[in-house]
Amino acid sequence: MYDERHDERLSDEELELFVQYLHRFANHDVDICLALEAGDTENPVYVMFGRDYPPVGDASDYRRPFADRRQPTADSHD
């Protein structure tokens, strides 16, 4: 897959879409574990998706992107 903007950073909108797609991918395509190599072939990034718990390191080291933007759900106790 080639993108003419490959050498540019993602815009805020593109990053948000990427995270949305990542959530969908994790929910529907990651069974137990998936390891990928991405980015520049001279300086690749290695990514591992997994459902193992506990995660590598401390769970508090992992952040959920845009979690602060979530809409509060209706609470029947109000």
Side-chain angles (χ1 to χ4, degrees), residues 19-71:
V19 171
Q20 289 174 13
Y21 290 142
L22 180 59
H23 280 282
R24 282 178 46 199
F25 177 74
N27 287 334
H28 299 284
D29 293 293
V30 178
D31 185 12
I32 294 176
C33 183
L34 176 67
L36 300 174
E37 178 184 312
D40 183 10
T41 56
E42 297 294 320
N43 191 22
V45 172
Y46 299 95
V47 181
M48 181 175 281
F49 300 95
R51 297 194 182 278
D52 293 337
Y53 191 84
V56 176
D58 190 71
S60 65
D61 292 338
Y62 295 82
R63 70 181 189 99
R64 185 172 286 265
F66 307 113
D68 58 329
R69 295 191 200 173
R70 289 190 174 173
Q71 297 296 322

